[in-house]
Amino acid sequence: MKNIVRKLLNIVSTTMLVLGFFSLNNANAEKCGSTDTINIPLHNWTSQVVMSHVVGQLFYKIGCKVSYKSTESQQVYESIRTGDNIIALEIWERPFGKLFKEALDKGGIIEAGKHDAITREGWWLPNFVIEMCPGLPNWKALKKCSDMFVRSDSNGKGVYVDGPIEWLHDTRRIEALGMNFVTMNVKKANDLWIELETAYNKKEAIVLFNWSPNFTDSLYGGQFVEFPTFNEKCITNESWGVNSNMTHDCGDPVGGYLKKAAWHGMPKKWPGAYKVLTRINFTTNNIGDMAIYVDVDRMAYAQAASSWIIDNKNVWEPWLSDLE
Ligand code: TMO
């Protein structure tokens, strides 16, 4: 008799566990809006990958299914228009603003607000290099001190260490400003940090492509090279600027936006996840921290994201509140 009761109790409790599990999952799935997989694109720089995992893990908390898809940062807008990827989390104004606008005009993709973080990219000098030549980070000082940046294989020219070739950076500035420099592209973003660390350890001068927010802000400190102030005419009008025969005789724009976007069907299909997406808002420090977990602490991306989530409950909890 006792045995039967125990067996019955066992069955009942197992059933309740299973039911409980399903109802929990169902309640959560209702918060997301659908159990269809939300594809999240991954690019080739750290903060974007960690941020994608942070958002994926937050979506998971409200019952969404997520999957990550490696996608070229130039191709991502087209992939969202066609519903292949569902969200974009780091739309940097300078490199992607034009592509994003074109995609918005074509349709299939919608803007989902912007982060507080202000973005900047361009030629960058760490503080220990700024101290090596008076007048830095002004470009005229950099031009004068080009010898400091010469390498054994650079034919007497200073080396500008640029990002991977796929990032399609324009290099006409060097010629337009008459600088005795050559561009050297690294293979992967991570090689930029290897170059920087090597230069730091040897106390050798380096000028490299960098961006903010990034982990370098707090690890090395530094400043972007001050080129002549950006102006649209600098790109289109040869006679404008310090070189009256060439375009591109100016710096990159400062203070760009960092926006989010979604596939246009997302609000209807995954209303809860879409609401969370519109609330998500990372600061410069949030994004720098995400990169630090990987680029300094050497964590794996998903683990870095979990750590960020554990350390920043107060930031994301309001984004998940009051979902239907
Ligand atoms: C878009 N990026 C952060 C690589 O400059």
Side-chain angles (χ1 to χ4, degrees):
M1 190 62 193
K2 256 191 183 166
N3 250 342
I4 293 176
V5 171
R6 200 175 288 142
K7 260 188 191 158
L8 268 175
L9 274 177
N10 240 337
I11 291 169
V12 169
S13 63
T14 315
T15 314
M16 279 175 52
L17 251 180
V18 170
L19 280 180
F21 177 76
F22 273 108
S23 64
L24 190 80
N25 235 22
N26 273 343
N28 272 338
E30 272 161 34
K31 281 191 180 178
C32 182
S34 163
T35 49
D36 283 1
T37 304
I38 298 176
N39 284 337
I40 303 177
L42 301 181
H43 303 322
N44 54 6
W45 65 93
T46 304
S47 68
Q48 196 277 343
V49 182
V50 177
M51 187 190 294
S52 297
H53 281 275
V54 166
V55 173
Q57 290 176 23
L58 294 181
F59 280 1
Y60 184 76
K61 282 184 192 291
I62 61 161
C64 305
K65 272 201 196 115
V66 300
S67 160
Y68 304 97
K69 279 186 89 163
S70 205
T71 309
E72 278 282 325
S73 49
Q74 313 276 336
Q75 253 104 66
V76 71
Y77 306 102
E78 201 55 26
S79 80
I80 292 174
R81 281 190 348 95
T82 56
D84 229 10
N85 279 310
I86 303 303
I87 61 171
L89 294 167
E90 279 201 18
I91 306 174
W92 291 61
E93 179 168 9
R94 189 206 60 88
F96 312 125
K98 194 161 163 268
L99 282 168
F100 180 43
K101 194 183 171 304
E102 285 165 7
L104 286 172
D105 290 345
K106 279 195 210 163
I109 184 170
I110 53 176
E111 186 179 324
K114 64 177 167 188
H115 301 280
D116 276 350
I118 298 296
T119 56
R120 186 165 177 188
E121 301 174 288
W123 293 44
W124 186 85
L125 294 159
N127 282 340
F128 73 90
V129 177
I130 290 175
E131 286 161 18
M132 293 165 78
C133 163
L136 288 179
N138 189 280
W139 72 279
K140 286 183 184 156
L142 186 63
K143 189 171 172 172
K144 260 193 217 135
C145 289
S146 71
D147 279 355
M148 270 174 28
F149 301 86
V150 171
R151 297 191 183 191
S152 57
D153 56 356
S154 67
N155 288 323
K157 289 176 185 271
V159 171
Y160 165 56
V161 182
D162 201 350
I165 219 122
E166 306 92 82
W167 288 354
L168 305 177
H169 292 156
D170 201 301
T171 54
R172 279 176 275 184
R173 176 182 299 133
I174 289 176
E175 196 191 335
L177 292 176
M179 299 178 78
N180 185 37
F181 274 83
V182 284
T183 299
M184 184 200 94
N185 291 96
V186 293
K187 287 215 170 66
K188 295 182 272 111
N190 194 50
D191 298 333
L192 290 168
W193 321 134
I194 293 172
E195 290 279 345
L196 177 56
E197 194 182 348
T198 306
Y200 180 77
N201 289 336
K202 294 188 186 164
K203 293 287 170 283
E204 282 172 5
I206 184 169
V207 55
L208 69 158
F209 178 76
N210 197 359
W211 55 85
S212 176
N214 201 357
F215 76 94
T216 45
D217 293 332
S218 59
L219 194 66
Y220 293 91
Q223 290 181 58
F224 288 95
V225 175
E226 287 161 8
F227 286 110
T229 306
F230 174 81
N231 187 304
E232 284 294 336
K233 289 196 190 110
C234 165
I235 304 303
T236 54
N237 186 339
E238 284 167 7
S239 58
W240 185 94
V242 293
N243 182 337
S244 49
N245 298 313
M246 269 191 83
T247 59
H248 294 82
D249 46 349
C250 66
D252 292 305
V254 302
Y257 66 62
L258 186 66
K259 284 185 177 173
K260 301 164 290 175
W263 173 57
H264 71 151
M266 186 185 189
K268 216 168 181 177
K269 186 159 181 186
W270 294 277
Y274 181 70
K275 194 167 217 174
V276 172
L277 176 67
T278 59
R279 290 169 173 174
I280 284 170
N281 177 4
F282 295 116
T283 63
T284 297
N285 278 338
N286 293 155
I287 297 170
D289 286 347
M290 290 179 198
I292 284 175
Y293 289 119
V294 173
D295 291 330
V296 181
D297 300 336
R298 306 278 167 224
M299 286 186 196
Y301 295 118
Q303 191 198 356
S306 309
S307 298
W308 189 89
I309 285 174
I310 290 167
D311 295 345
N312 292 275
K313 250 191 156 120
N314 60 321
V315 176
W316 57 264
E317 259 177 358
W319 301 341
L320 267 53
S321 67
D322 303 324
L323 299 170
E324 265 98 75

